[in-house]
Amino acid sequence: MQTMQHKQETVPVQAHVAMVPSPGMGHLIPLVELANRLVLQHNIRVTFIVPDDGSSMKPQKKLLESLPEMISTMFLPPVNFEDLPDNVKMETRIELSMTRSLPAFRDSLKVLVQSELTTGRLVALVVDLFGVATFDVAREFGVPPYIFFTSTAMELSFIFLMPELDEKFACEYKDLPEPVKLPGCVPVHGSDLMDPVQDKNDNVYKWVLYLAKHYPSVAGFLVNSFIELEPGAFKALMEGESGFGVPIYPVGPLVQTGSNIIDNVDDHFECLKWLDQQPSGSVLFVSFGSGGTLSQEQLNELAFGLEMSGQKFMWVAKSPHERASNATYFGVQSIDDPFDFLPKGFLERIKSNGVGLLVPSWAPQIQVLSHGSTGGFLTHCGWNSTLESIVHGVPLIAWPLYAEQKMNAVILTDDLKVALRVQVDENGLVGRDDIAKYARGLIKGEEGKLLRNNMKKLKDAAAIVLSQDGSSTKSLAEVAGIWKNQEKVEN
């Protein structure tokens, strides 16, 4: 039976929403921000029902325990993956985490429905983009399911179009003769479409196609983007040019704010102190997110390239992995000697000349991006990191690794023009000379100035949409009003 953390609440509430994140902190964090806004702005109670894929749940628990009293948590029992091979794909593990948790999820939802007299009527189930498996259970209890789409309107448009593309093309997407033209979006080459759809014979492709065919049955989409960021894509989705007439609510950018929910900030005071000592806008922040990993050869090229650039840099460095670009997605690596994988003499040289700082595995990214000394961000283009960059006005070097990150890079470079995109050579590597060129260009070059100006405009737009009369604030208020009215009607 699941464990439950329930915080005492004396304030009467009008409605109660259950939320189910799929495994990975990258999916939980924006859902937490959505929950915070529902509580603080709309007095809606939230309960998280959290599947357990068997990896360490310590980061998730620490984050969830820090939330306001009107947010409770139910942790489901760990899922058994002993029957899976060690090299199982990330998406397969996420899918099975959800489907194998369904019996426990049903028990949890039943508890919430039966406790409505004390916690408020359960008016909606909000899952992320991988949560389709929960729909039937929600409907069994008369609870309408919604999807909180943690990525772009462009990706949502592609998923809506996927069944049509599947029927139209027999070839792999990477072999398409022409770019895919999604309504309201810049063209996307087939090779830049998200990784899970690149192999039509793979079970992961079939699963994404299954999701696409079931998306039309959802009650609505809350999208972690905003109209001013993707005006064409949202216009097409909301006016029926793409999609299936399902209500669309742009509610982003929802990103972490403040040190109260940032883990281990005190432990990383050294890196913030180092930033304090650097000139304004001089530092390139280098991080591939919680899951991103590089091969040893690529890691060497990155180290030498950063050193050759002559630019100040702060690098969140993780051990190399030869097979997977998302090797740490389900948990942070254990560290003995955190930098023994670096080229010989590299650490000593950057320490002696003060050009760079290495941070093992994790850094307080919000604090780094908001710091005046940070002038650029070399990123894997995960959507959380992308939105954080936009909110703080930091231009980018786009280095996509997995999932939908190549599609994000297309938006950032071809559409918004706030990023330089790395190019791989014939050996599949980004070479040190190019890395040095990107770093110099972003921090000191004329192109970097243009990208910085464009990003400043997006930063201002992001602040406006989240203001009291902003489009995203109004959009969230609209769906919150639907949920509150549903509670009143039922009673």
Side-chain angles (χ1 to χ4, degrees):
M1 181 66 182
Q2 73 276 1
T3 60
M4 182 172 182
Q5 294 181 354
H6 190 77
K7 303 170 186 177
Q8 295 298 317
E9 175 56 45
T10 58
V11 179
V13 293
Q14 291 180 301
H16 184 191
V17 172
M19 292 188 177
V20 182
S22 59
M25 286 295 288
H27 290 146
L28 176 61
I29 287 170
L31 265 177
V32 163
E33 292 307 311
L34 175 63
N36 275 326
R37 291 182 186 274
L38 289 173
V39 167
L40 298 175
Q41 297 177 5
H42 302 287
N43 199 35
I44 291 177
R45 175 185 288 280
V46 176
T47 296
F48 278 92
I49 304 176
V50 185
D52 184 343
D53 73 318
S55 57
S56 172
M57 297 292 287
K58 185 177 178 181
Q60 289 90 330
K61 289 180 178 179
K62 186 165 187 176
L63 173 58
L64 290 165
E65 287 169 356
S66 70
L67 301 180
E69 289 185 347
M70 283 175 61
I71 302 177
S72 301
T73 306
M74 305 174 80
F75 293 98
L76 302 183
V79 172
N80 190 326
F81 284 144
E82 292 180 357
D83 58 319
L84 299 183
D86 292 337
N87 62 346
V88 65
K89 289 188 176 180
M90 174 187 77
E91 293 85 1
T92 298
R93 184 164 167 174
I94 291 174
E95 175 200 7
L96 293 176
S97 294
M98 304 301 284
T99 56
R100 294 182 179 184
S101 295
L102 283 178
F105 166 72
R106 186 186 183 280
D107 291 342
S108 299
L109 206 63
K110 185 177 181 180
V111 169
L112 296 184
V113 170
Q114 291 177 340
S115 62
E116 287 178 346
L117 289 178
T118 56
T119 61
R121 180 171 179 80
L122 195 63
V123 295
L125 171 71
V126 178
V127 300
D128 64 34
L129 66 168
F130 296 125
V132 168
T134 63
F135 287 5
D136 287 342
V137 177
R139 294 191 184 98
E140 178 185 342
F141 291 100
V143 179
Y146 288 75
I147 287 179
F148 177 53
F149 200 76
T150 52
S151 189
T152 64
M154 173 194 269
E155 185 186 352
L156 182 56
S157 297
F158 169 72
I159 293 178
F160 277 137
L161 191 63
M162 191 175 167
E164 178 183 330
L165 293 175
D166 182 70
E167 293 288 336
K168 185 176 180 180
F169 298 108
C171 67
E172 303 293 347
Y173 290 129
K174 67 178 183 295
D175 298 323
L176 289 176
E178 298 290 337
V180 176
K181 296 180 180 178
L182 301 168
C185 303
V186 293
V188 184
H189 290 284
S191 58
D192 279 334
L193 294 173
M194 53 188 184
D195 283 357
V197 305
Q198 289 297 332
D199 183 357
K200 284 192 171 186
N201 295 314
D202 192 274
N203 285 333
V204 173
Y205 176 89
K206 297 171 184 176
W207 178 51
V208 177
L209 187 60
Y210 167 84
L211 297 181
K213 291 179 177 179
H214 284 75
Y215 272 11
S217 66
V218 77
F221 284 91
L222 290 76
V223 184
N224 195 15
S225 184
F226 53 102
I227 293 175
E228 289 77 1
L229 187 67
E230 301 182 85
F234 274 117
K235 184 175 186 292
L237 285 168
M238 298 170 80
E239 295 182 1
E241 187 179 348
S242 62
F244 297 94
V246 178
I248 304 290
Y249 305 97
V251 298
L254 297 179
V255 300
Q256 282 187 320
T257 56
S259 60
N260 58 318
I261 56 172
I262 301 289
D263 191 17
N264 296 330
V265 169
D266 292 340
D267 295 343
H268 290 77
F269 178 73
E270 178 190 352
C271 70
L272 300 178
K273 185 177 180 180
W274 183 83
L275 279 176
D276 290 340
Q277 300 167 354
Q278 310 309 318
S280 175
S282 66
V283 176
L284 177 66
F285 178 50
V286 181
S287 175
F288 295 96
S290 58
T293 45
L294 304 176
S295 68
Q296 181 67 66
E297 188 176 8
Q298 182 61 86
L299 191 144
N300 291 344
E301 292 297 308
L302 176 57
F304 288 126
L306 291 173
E307 187 176 13
M308 289 167 55
S309 75
Q311 304 305 305
K312 299 273 187 176
F313 66 88
M314 178 189 294
W315 179 11
V316 182
K318 293 188 289 186
S319 298
H321 197 282
E322 299 306 318
R323 295 191 310 275
S325 59
N326 54 8
T328 56
Y329 182 86
F330 293 102
V332 177
Q333 63 186 5
S334 58
I335 300 173
D336 296 320
D337 181 351
F339 301 129
D340 63 353
F341 50 82
L342 292 168
K344 186 175 181 181
F346 172 77
L347 191 59
E348 291 74 19
R349 290 194 301 275
I350 67 166
K351 279 185 176 180
S352 64
N353 60 27
V355 70
L357 178 71
L358 267 68
V359 182
S361 294
W362 186 91
Q365 185 160 295
I366 297 295
Q367 280 81 351
V368 173
L369 290 175
S370 62
H371 199 286
S373 295
T374 302
F377 183 13
L378 192 161
T379 174
H380 64 316
C381 301
W383 194 237
N384 288 337
S385 291
T386 298
L387 290 178
E388 289 166 4
S389 305
I390 290 170
V391 167
H392 297 291
V394 180
L396 306 168
I397 297 173
W399 190 325
L401 294 179
Y402 60 92
E404 89 293 2
Q405 292 164 10
K406 290 179 182 177
M407 293 182 73
N408 296 344
V410 170
I411 295 175
L412 294 167
T413 54
D414 297 353
D415 186 8
L416 301 174
K417 302 187 186 310
V418 294
L420 303 171
R421 183 171 177 180
V422 302
Q423 300 297 322
V424 299
D425 62 21
E426 62 276 6
N427 299 313
L429 294 173
V430 184
R432 62 187 71 179
D433 292 336
D434 287 337
I435 292 169
K437 179 183 68 175
Y438 297 135
R440 287 193 296 266
L442 186 66
I443 299 299
K444 290 188 175 179
E446 289 302 313
E447 188 174 9
K449 291 180 182 177
L450 177 62
L451 301 180
R452 190 166 291 104
N453 289 337
N454 291 340
M455 189 63 98
K456 173 65 165 60
K457 295 175 184 176
L458 290 183
K459 175 184 178 181
D460 294 342
I464 291 171
V465 301
L466 294 177
S467 65
Q468 185 174 352
D469 295 321
S471 59
S472 290
T473 300
K474 289 180 177 179
S475 189
L476 182 59
E478 181 181 354
V479 71
I482 292 172
W483 292 341
K484 289 182 175 183
N485 288 334
Q486 180 181 333
E487 194 273 342
K488 291 176 183 177
V489 169
E490 293 293 342
N491 287 328

